[in-house]
Amino acid sequence: MMNKKGQTLIAFVIILPVFILFLAFIVDTGILLKEKSRLNGSTKIILENMYPKRNESNFQEQTIDLFKKNKIPTENLNLEVKNNTIIVSNDYEIESIFGKIIGIKKYKIHLNLTFQIEQDKLTIKKE
C-alpha cells in the first residue's frame, strides 16, 4: 500500500495560498464597501443637515468644509445646485491592503447622488 501523507502535504501546500488570496480578497472587498457606505452616508447626513440652515452665498464652501472635517477627500468633489436639485459627485481612491499582491494598488470610489428640494427639505431622487 502507498503512503498518502506526501500527497496530503502537497495538496495542502497548493491549496493554502489560494485560500489566503481568497481571504485577502474578502477583506479588501469589505474595506471598499465600508468606505463606499461611509461616503454615501456622510454625504446624505451633511446635505440633509446643511441645507435647511444654508446661506445661499457660501453654501458650497460650508458643505465642502464639512466634507473635509469628516475626512472625505474633496479634490474631485462636484456640488451643483440648480432647479430644485442638488447633484453631488465625488471620485477618489483608497489604498489597497492585500490587492497589492495581485497588482491592485488602489481602489476607485465613485459617488453620484441627486437630491430633490421639496418644501425646503431634501429627498434623495432615485435614478
Side-chain angles (χ1 to χ4, degrees):
M1 200 176 239
M2 295 176 57
N3 186 356
K4 302 254 183 198
K5 289 182 182 178
Q7 291 175 352
T8 305
L9 179 63
I10 290 173
F12 180 74
V13 168
I14 290 172
I15 292 173
L16 185 63
V18 172
F19 183 69
I20 290 172
L21 282 173
F22 181 69
L23 287 176
F25 173 73
I26 290 172
V27 169
D28 262 9
T29 303
I31 291 169
L32 178 64
L33 291 175
K34 178 183 164 270
E35 186 64 21
K36 280 185 177 183
S37 176
R38 184 180 81 86
L39 174 63
N40 199 358
S42 296
T43 301
K44 288 176 186 177
I45 290 170
I46 288 170
L47 285 175
E48 286 170 354
N49 289 324
M50 191 62 201
Y51 186 76
K53 15 181 177 172
R54 75 191 179 287
N55 180 347
E56 295 290 337
S57 63
N58 62 356
F59 171 70
Q60 288 188 341
E61 291 85 19
Q62 289 175 340
T63 306
I64 289 171
D65 286 344
L66 281 174
F67 274 94
K68 289 178 182 176
K69 286 179 184 176
N70 284 287
K71 297 182 177 136
I72 297 173
T74 58
E75 294 84 33
N76 296 320
L77 177 66
N78 187 17
L79 185 65
E80 287 182 53
V81 181
K82 61 180 180 181
N83 299 336
N84 291 331
T85 60
I86 299 175
I87 300 169
V88 181
S89 64
N90 197 358
D91 294 307
Y92 66 93
E93 297 177 338
I94 60 169
E95 291 286 324
S96 167
I97 295 175
F98 296 107
K100 294 174 185 173
I101 296 169
I102 58 172
I104 301 172
K105 293 183 177 147
K106 293 184 177 189
Y107 293 111
K108 293 181 182 179
I109 296 180
H110 175 73
L111 170 78
N112 195 10
L113 287 175
T114 303
F115 292 87
Q116 187 72 36
I117 303 168
E118 297 171 351
Q119 299 172 356
D120 228 20
K121 289 187 178 182
L122 291 180
T123 56
I124 295 177
K125 188 176 177 183
K126 301 289 180 188
E127 306 260 340

